[in-house]
Amino acid sequence: ARQAAEMSEIPAKVVPTKTLPQGISAAISFNFGGSADENAQMMSESMQRVITGEITTSTRNVTLNGVSVRDGQNIGLINDQLAGAGDDVESPLMALLEKAGADRHELITLYFGNGLSEADAGAIADRIRDTYASQQVDLIPGNQPHYDFVVGIE
């Protein structure tokens, strides 16, 4: 992307993001009427406000950040840091949202994947809506392998 921006005859900037929710937040903030510099700044500011969570499966026994995990358990990560663990998908997701301070934000976006059915993901999203009634909770099929949920909190 950086090489393409350097070679472009049209002014172009690259806004490096590390996670899917950051990239989507940056893209949504793009202003077609703005300059490349204005857009790069606005997109960078937007993506920096995103907290990224992930629900995946542990591949080892470990204790980190005060959380004990067994191999094969579901784990919740906040910006790549272990935040919770459980034998189901929902409990580490709820721990992740609580530790991330989701109640102090406006939007929780849940991208579901890893073979999780839409019905199961929808039921979990409904329980999150009950818990976080003041927040907008969006559920989107992400179809990502290895992660039951990728979560954007902003």
Side-chain angles (χ1 to χ4, degrees), residues 16-109:
T17 60
K18 294 181 181 179
T19 68
L20 172 77
Q22 287 178 341
I24 291 173
S25 180
I28 288 171
S29 69
F30 182 82
N31 176 0
F32 286 97
S35 71
D37 287 333
E38 291 168 340
N39 271 304
Q41 180 174 344
M42 195 169 14
M43 293 169 78
S44 292
E45 290 170 1
S46 178
M47 71 99 172
Q48 289 174 13
R49 290 189 295 266
V50 177
I51 299 169
T52 299
E54 298 161 321
I55 302 298
T56 190
T57 305
S58 174
T59 58
R60 61 188 171 124
N61 295 331
V62 68
T63 299
L64 290 171
N65 303 328
V67 179
S68 294
V69 180
R70 294 184 320 276
D71 182 24
Q73 261 191 322
N74 291 304
I75 57 173
L77 306 168
I78 301 172
N79 296 330
D80 292 326
Q81 299 296 312
L82 185 61
D87 294 323
D88 60 2
V89 172
E90 189 172 342
S91 58
L93 178 56
M94 296 305 276
L96 176 158
L97 292 170
E98 183 178 338
K99 288 184 180 180
D103 61 333
R104 297 185 307 271
H105 294 81
E106 295 177 10
L107 175 63
I108 301 168
T109 306

